[in-house]
Structure formats: C-alpha cells, structure tokens
Amino acid sequence: MSTRPSPLPPDALLLAPMVGLSHRALRELIRGFGGCDLYYTEMTSAAGYLSGAPYDRFFLDSGPEPERTVLQFYAVDTARMVEAARKAARELPAAGLDLNFGCSAPHIERSGGGVSWMKNPEAARDLVARVRDARPEGSLSVKLRIGYDDDYGRLRDFCAGLSEAGADWLVLHPRLRSEKLRRTGRWDYVRRLREDLGIPLVGNGDVRTPVDKAARVRECRTAGIMLGREAVRRPWIFALIRGLERDPGFRMTVDAAETAETFLRLVEELLPPEFHLSRARRFFYYYCDNLSFAHHIRWKIQNAPDLASIRRILAEYFEEVPGDRVVGGR
Ligand SMILES: Cc1cc2nc3c(=O)[nH]c(=O)nc-3n(C[C@H](O)[C@H](O)[C@H](O)COP(=O)(O)O)c2cc1C
C-alpha cells in the first residue's frame, strides 16, 4: 500500500474523464464558475502518445490548472504504458495519472484495454506497480467498473491488489462491464468497497444534484464524488454543490445563452478547427437539457453544419424563449 500522503483533497469533487467532452474548453468553462478539486482528462492511448499521435497535444493539454488535472491513459500492454508514464513525467505538467480499467467500448476492450484489465488481476496489479515506479511524483489512480460479474469478493480482491501495488485512490463507476448508462449504478458496491479498501475511494455515476451528492457521501462515506454528464449539462454544478454546502439558502442564477457563447468561444480558442463542430455537438447534446424545448433544439444543433449555424440556432431560440436564459437552481 502507498505510504505517501494522498493528494486527494477531503470531500473532493472531481470532473470525470469523457471522450470528446473533458477537454480544456470544458475545464475553462467550469473554472469560470469556481472550478472543482480535480479534473480528469478524456482517455488517451498510451501507445498513441508514444508514437506522437497528432492530436495528443490537445488530449493531454492539462490547462488551465495542471496542478488539479489528472491525465487518463488507456493501455493495451504494460511496456508501453510504463514508457508513456516515463515520458509524461518528463513532458507533461499534471497532478497525476489515471489508468482506465473501466472503458467497455468494444474496440478498446477487444484490443485488451479498459475493462479487460479486470480479467487479469495479476497483470493489472503489476501494471500499477510499474507505473508507480516509472512516475513516483504525483498521484496514481485507477478508474474502474465492478467488472464482468456481479461478484463483490472478486472486485474487493482486485482493488486490494491495486492498493498494494501503489495506487493512491480508486474511482469506482459501479456498473458491470455490460451495463449501459441507462441502468442506475449499483452504489451499494461503492459503500462496501469503501469499507474494505485501505486507500480512498471516489464514487461516480448518476449524481445529478447537490442532494444526490450529499446522499451518496452520507451513505457511502467516499473520499470524493466524480461527476460526468451533469458537469456538461450544468458546468456550474460544482459551484452549486459547494454553495449549498456553505449556505442551505444559496441560489444560483446562470445566463444560459452567455454560457453557451463562452463555451463556443473557448472551443475556438483552445481546440483545433477539426474538433470544433464535433465538440460543440457533443457538449450541446447534454447542455440542451437546461432548455424547455430541449429535444427540438438538440436535434437542430446535432444537424448544424458549423459553429456559426449553432450560434444562429441558439440566438433564435433565446429570442423565442427568453425565459430559458436564466437557469441554475438546485
Ligand atoms: C461521452 C462519454 C465519454 C466517456 N469517456 C470516458 C473516458 O474517456 N474514460 C473513462 O474512464 N470513462 C469515460 N466515460 C464514463 C464517465 O467517466 C462516467 O464514468 C460515466 O459517465 C458515469 O458518470 P456520470 O453519471 O456522472 O456521467 C465516458 C462517459 C460518457 C458519457
């Protein structure tokens, strides 16, 4: 087990790694509302990073707060992950590294990455130990799922191995490998694992409101809570949670039109032109949930050919439904 002090702040709030969403523009937007404790980047291939994949400069951009940003990698073999960790230690400012043991996207799993590490506890443990040696500075975490079977003992033993190998904390997204996001996560696994694990555990999945967050912490006593999709829907959610923790009467009002424009501007400033449209569509897929006619405007944005059209669609929408400009709440 790691004897180094854990850099995870108490009662931490973390932004989840999400492909196409957890990029610098989203972090900047969240930071504009007050930020969160740790931001995870979207996953990057360790092999791709070693071979100089063209867009890794953007995937692995840890701005605007490198000291609060964890770089997530997925790997299909130990040697290249260890090499990537060494290279990252030399080149990339960051609070830490995370190993993705949770992704169940077919192409990742079939190639031996993501959740497939959970099939082989010895290899997973060896990977963690060797990455720890390769990059002694900064935190090392693992984000994982329950695994392949509804078997708590197996998960507990797997996680104990990672802890002994030197992981600083784990993030559990409590779904089985085959479970899609539609099914609610099995938070009883988080509660049990937190009781048995010798290192901090962060829980993740389906936390949508400050009330959800407080309930999960109360029930599971996790060291932190990680939010994914809700932080895209409401980039101010972390500020709202902290505000209500300080003062139960706290209220937030946010200008939804201005926030949308800020996001588009950040995308243009910080991401390569080839990414602009896909990243905007992905963001608005969730963000439109703030609006009364979400389905209608989401569909229009998903079919927009460029950012100028997205801007026009939004401007027309807020002109027609001015009441939707002000959002926030609880
Ligand atoms: C579009 C999308 C992309 C994701 N990409 C990643 C990823 O790169 N790495 C990872 O560990 N999990 C990834 N996930 C899973 C999330 O990190 C998180 O575990 C999941 O969305 C549940 O949390 P939530 O209910 O707060 O969204 C992704 C999820 C979504 C919706």
Side-chain angles (χ1 to χ4, degrees), residues 16-19 43 72 100 143 173 181 204-206 228-229 286:
M18 290 174 289
V19 168
M43 64 179 175
Q72 190 190 59
N100 180 325
K143 180 167 178 283
H173 171 207
L181 291 174
N204 160 244
D206 314 303
R229 291 163 296 167
Y286 295 99

Side-chain angles (χ1 to χ4, degrees), residues 25-75:
L26 181 68
R27 289 193 295 277
E28 298 261 7
L29 189 67
I30 291 172
R31 188 184 186 220
F33 289 106
C36 65
D37 295 304
L38 277 180
Y39 307 86
Y40 276 48
T41 64
E42 63 190 286
M43 64 179 175
T44 304
S45 154
Y49 171 53
L50 290 176
S51 66
Y55 293 113
D56 278 6
R57 172 161 93 76
F58 298 100
F59 297 141
L60 295 168
D61 174 352
S62 56
E65 296 190 85
E67 66 289 355
R68 288 174 189 258
T69 301
V70 170
L71 308 172
Q72 190 190 59
F73 282 97
Y74 77 89

Side-chain angles (χ1 to χ4, degrees), residues 27 36 42 44 47 69 88 106 119 134 140 142 153 164 184 201 230 243 273-274 318 321:
R27 289 193 295 277
C36 65
E42 63 190 286
T44 304
T69 301
K119 283 183 194 158
L140 176 60
V142 176
E164 281 158 21
T184 309
L201 181 67
E230 194 60 25
E274 306 88 289
F318 287 114
V321 195

Side-chain angles (χ1 to χ4, degrees), residues 236 254-261 284 287 290-291 314 318 324-327:
W236 53 89
V254 174
D255 184 324
E258 202 177 284
T259 303
E261 175 50 32
F284 284 108
Y287 187 78
N290 291 300
L291 309 177
L314 286 165
F318 287 114
D324 271 9
R325 268 193 94 106
V326 178
V327 295

Side-chain angles (χ1 to χ4, degrees), residues 121-136:
E122 286 75 32
R125 182 188 168 127
D126 178 57
L127 178 68
V128 169
R130 291 178 57 189
V131 170
R132 176 83 282 167
D133 283 351
R135 191 180 186 278

